[in-house]
Amino acid sequence: MRQLLIVCLYARANERRYKTADFNQQTTQSMSPCPFPRRRHYKEPCYRVAAVGFGLLCILLLAAVTVLATNNTQLQISYNIPNDNFQTNYSNLVKLIDQLQKENAALQKKLADLAKHAQLGWVYFSSSLYFISTEKKSWTDSRQDCSRKGADLVIISSREEQEFIIKQLDGDKAWIGLSDRSTERVWKWVDGTALTTAYWAKGEPNDAGNEEDCAEIWSSADRKGWNDVTCSRKERWICEKLDFQW
Ligand code: MAN
Ligand code: CA
C-alpha cells in the first residue's frame, strides 16, 4: 500500500509536468499506473487566472508608462525645458566655481602686494601708489630712487591729485616729475608727455638766476603749487606707481 501511494505521488507529479508541456490530459490519465481516481479540484484554473491577471497588469502598466511619457514630452515642448537641463546647470556651476577661485587668488595676491607697499610707506589714491621720502636728494638722484622702487617721480594730472599730494606733504615741499632741462621753457613730464594743465604757484616758473630747470611742489598755507628750482638742490621727493588696479 505504501509503495502504491509513492507510485501514485510520482504519477500525479508527472501528469502535472506533462500538462505544463501541453500534453493531452486523456493520454496522461490512460498511461497513469495509479488506480485511484484523480481529484476533481485540480489547481490548473488558478494558474490560468493568475497568468491572465498578470498579463492584464502588464498591459495596464505599459499603457500608463506610454501616457506618462507622452505627457512629459508635451510638458517639455510647452515649457521649453531642455532635456539636459541638469547637466548644463552642473557644468555652468563648475565653470563659475573655477572662475571665482581664480578671481579670489588674484585678489589675494593684490591684497598681499598692497599690504607690503603700505608697510614700506606707500599710500593709495585713485589707481596709483605714492611714496613720499623723508630723505633729501637732487632731482636726478631722487628719480633714480623711484626707479629702484619700480616707480618714477610723480606726474600730476588732475586737481584732485594735486590736492591729495598737498595734503600728504603737510606744509613741506618735494620734487615732482617735471623739468625743462632738454629745452628751456618747454616743460615735460618724466614719461615724455608735454605739460598741458599746470598748477604753478603765483609768479612761477621764474627761472631764478637762469638755472632753475626742475619742478618741486609747495604745500604751505601761504605758498601752494609748483615752483622751478635748481636741479642739484637736495629736496624730499614723491614717487608714483601708476595703474595699481583692483
Ligand atoms: C624763491 C622764489 C622761487 C625760487 C626760489 C629759489 O622761493 O624766487 O621762484 O625758485 O626762491 O630758492
Ligand atoms: Ca622758481
Side-chain angles (χ1 to χ4, degrees):
M1 182 64 183
R2 197 174 151 200
Q3 274 173 337
L4 191 61
L5 268 172
I6 289 165
V7 165
C8 274
L9 271 172
Y10 275 112
R12 289 280 180 261
N14 275 340
E15 278 171 26
R16 255 177 238 138
R17 264 211 299 276
Y18 290 146
K19 191 103 186 79
T20 325
D22 206 18
F23 268 58
N24 185 306
Q25 194 182 342
Q26 277 310 114
T27 322
T28 49
Q29 181 113 41
S30 59
M31 281 161 61
S32 177
C34 183
F36 303 120
R38 192 205 299 261
R39 283 160 75 183
R40 301 304 305 161
H41 56 280
Y42 189 60
K43 286 193 176 173
E44 177 81 9
C46 270
Y47 288 126
R48 192 170 290 166
V49 167
V52 169
F54 183 70
L56 278 172
L57 197 67
C58 283
I59 290 164
L60 262 170
L61 278 171
L62 196 69
V65 166
T66 312
V67 168
L68 281 172
T70 314
N71 279 353
N72 187 37
T73 314
Q74 273 168 356
L75 262 176
Q76 280 189 343
I77 291 164
S78 57
Y79 288 101
N80 201 18
I81 303 166
N83 265 344
D84 55 349
N85 212 10
F86 175 77
Q87 188 61 41
T88 311
N89 284 347
Y90 180 76
S91 54
N92 280 348
L93 259 178
V94 168
K95 273 185 213 155
L96 189 67
I97 289 167
D98 187 55
Q99 185 193 329
L100 284 174
Q101 278 174 338
K102 277 179 189 150
E103 279 175 19
N104 183 39
L107 215 58
Q108 293 286 335
K109 217 175 139 190
K110 275 269 175 199
L111 198 65
D113 194 21
L114 191 69
K116 206 176 78 189
H117 276 92
Q119 253 183 349
L120 294 169
W122 293 80
V123 183
Y124 179 84
F125 175 78
S126 184
S127 305
S128 280
L129 281 169
Y130 297 88
F131 176 85
I132 301 176
S133 75
T134 47
E135 279 180 87
K136 290 182 178 180
K137 285 181 192 285
S138 70
W139 190 88
T140 307
D141 288 350
S142 298
R143 198 176 172 200
Q144 252 173 25
D145 182 77
C146 289
S147 177
R148 272 197 300 273
K149 289 173 162 63
D152 207 340
L153 285 170
V154 65
I155 294 170
I156 300 172
S157 46
S158 71
R159 168 67 66 185
E160 291 73 33
E161 193 176 12
Q162 166 88 352
E163 294 304 325
F164 166 77
I165 288 163
I166 285 173
K167 210 172 154 190
Q168 293 296 311
L169 275 172
D170 195 25
D172 210 349
K173 57 187 180 179
W175 291 124
I176 60 172
L178 185 67
S179 82
D180 72 339
R181 288 207 295 189
S182 325
T183 314
E184 189 60 42
R185 283 186 295 281
V186 178
W187 292 89
K188 253 182 13 182
W189 291 109
V190 281
D191 67 351
T193 55
L195 173 66
T196 48
T197 312
Y199 303 100
W200 293 109
K202 206 175 166 193
E204 305 299 340
N206 61 356
D207 195 26
N210 291 324
E211 55 171 23
E212 297 187 323
D213 293 339
C214 293
E216 62 181 1
I217 181 170
W218 288 333
S219 71
S220 64
D222 53 333
R223 286 208 298 189
K224 275 193 182 72
W226 307 343
N227 171 44
D228 58 341
V229 75
T230 312
C231 298
S232 56
R233 193 184 279 209
K234 287 189 168 47
E235 300 283 3
R236 291 173 73 188
W237 67 93
I238 308 165
C239 304
E240 180 184 13
K241 271 188 194 184
L242 288 156
D243 295 325
F244 194 87
Q245 301 290 352
W246 278 95

